[in-house]
Amino acid sequence: MRVERAIPSGACYGVQRALSMVDDAFAESGRTGLRVCTLGSLIHNPIVVRELEEAGARVVDSADELDSGILVIRSHGAIAGVADGARARGIIVFDATCPHVAKAQMAASRLAAEGRFMVILGEAGHPEVEAIRSYAGERAVVIQEPEELPEFDSNERIGLVVQTTQSQDRLTRVVAALKASFDDVAVENTICSATRFRQEAALSVAEQADAMIVIGGRNSGNTTRLREICEGACERTHHIESAAEIDPSWLVDCEVVGVTAGASTPQSHIDAVIAELEGSK
Ligand code: SF4
């Protein structure tokens, strides 16, 4: 059995930057004695979040829970005004909003200011999407599929921005549906390159694999998208968070086992899975 890892896969620039900012926040805590908090889970990886909590980082749902301290904004970003509001109250803010997410926020703000009705392609309720939506004004809708588009006046001017981890295939379908109904559709393809490269590499490996292992948080949007893409090419696709979940029966009669990992999966988790698979040969 051969283990084939998709390249690239695993922790992206934005996640590594967020983890590095948490280290900076802990250093600041060491100097000031202030407690480190993250606004929501820093990344969508339960194992990493647990490790951060054990190191002393507290997860808060709202900046309003703090009177003082150190607040880390995660790579998914925060609702418009939250970081500035916290700073105004004397809280030390480390803003780890990924630059790709910030670009989507700014695009939503600019297109909404042009008077466009905003369509956000993404998962409703996902923190990145809710943050982007907060920049898109009152006239905005979040959809995942073209069928979810509301009834619009055909003269409406439309702006489209995309959750950074969506698939290009889904975006293509939504753009086609919008352009079939409206003359003026401004599209900002804000899918980040890290996502696109990971999806392309995962598909390429899944197409030649007998079984495919996708590593990452079950609450991670980009990992879920990798699983969906791999399932389309390889029936025996399994989504796991850690090496301990590997079931030997998945590997029966496999010549090639593919491995990929979401953008919030640390290298050490990937190494552990590959070691487990190599040990099962
Ligand atoms: S997946 Fe892309 S947008 Fe999300 S944190 Fe990584 S680099 Fe940034």
Side-chain angles (χ1 to χ4, degrees):
M1 184 183 85
R2 182 161 58 84
V3 179
E4 181 88 22
R5 177 181 170 179
I7 297 174
S9 55
C12 63
Y13 154 79
V15 165
Q16 289 176 13
R17 181 171 170 271
L19 291 169
S20 155
M21 277 203 185
V22 171
D23 287 341
D24 294 344
F26 278 127
E28 181 71 15
S29 173
R31 282 190 291 275
T32 60
L34 294 168
R35 177 108 195 240
V36 174
C37 299
T38 65
L39 187 54
S41 302
L42 184 74
I43 58 175
H44 278 162
N45 186 306
I47 299 171
V48 173
V49 170
R50 198 164 52 241
E51 287 168 358
L52 288 174
E53 283 177 338
E54 284 164 7
R58 177 181 155 217
V59 178
V60 293
D61 293 328
S62 162
D64 294 339
E65 292 177 40
L66 303 182
D67 295 324
S68 62
I70 299 168
L71 183 66
V72 183
I73 309 267
R74 55 189 165 186
S75 50
H76 291 313
I79 301 296
V82 164
D84 287 344
R87 285 192 188 98
R89 292 190 291 114
I91 294 164
I92 299 169
V93 175
F94 286 79
D95 188 353
T97 303
C98 177
H100 291 286
V101 174
K103 186 176 158 203
Q105 294 172 344
M106 291 306 105
S109 175
R110 179 171 47 75
L111 294 175
E114 290 174 7
R116 295 177 183 276
F117 190 101
M118 292 304 302
V119 176
I120 300 161
L121 172 56
E123 296 158 78
H126 188 287
E128 178 193 323
V129 175
E130 293 308 306
I132 293 171
R133 188 184 183 139
S134 72
Y135 285 83
E138 294 295 311
R139 297 189 336 120
V141 65
V142 176
I143 63 155
Q144 279 249 69
E145 296 293 341
E147 300 73 43
E148 296 168 28
L149 283 167
E151 296 278 319
F152 287 116
D153 178 340
S154 61
N155 292 321
E156 190 67 80
R157 298 166 67 229
I158 306 291
L160 174 67
V161 294
V162 193
Q163 182 182 12
T164 55
T165 51
Q166 284 294 314
S167 69
Q168 184 62 45
D169 176 53
R170 191 173 269 154
L171 172 61
T172 302
R173 283 188 278 119
V174 169
V175 170
L178 284 170
K179 290 200 168 168
S181 304
F182 303 96
D183 292 334
D184 187 348
V185 182
V187 179
E188 283 285 344
N189 182 351
T190 43
I191 297 174
C192 91
S193 50
T195 298
R196 200 176 71 242
F197 294 155
R198 278 159 181 71
Q199 291 174 352
E200 289 169 358
L203 178 61
S204 157
V205 170
E207 282 172 341
Q208 38 151 332
D210 301 302
M212 193 73 199
I213 309 290
V214 181
I215 317 161
R218 291 196 172 78
N219 55 349
S220 157
N222 77 83
T223 310
T224 301
R225 211 100 322 106
L226 286 177
R227 173 179 55 73
E228 291 168 354
I229 287 167
C230 291
E231 280 172 345
C234 177
E235 263 183 30
R236 295 164 69 182
T237 292
H238 305 279
H239 181 171
I240 60 173
E241 290 187 345
S242 74
E245 293 174 50
I246 294 173
D247 181 336
S249 70
W250 298 344
L251 312 175
V252 171
D253 296 332
C254 283
E255 282 183 24
V256 179
V257 176
V259 174
T260 188
S264 44
T265 308
Q267 182 61 41
S268 58
H269 297 194
I270 302 170
D271 291 344
V273 168
I274 290 178
E276 182 73 24
L277 292 172
E278 301 270 3
S280 312
K281 280 184 192 173

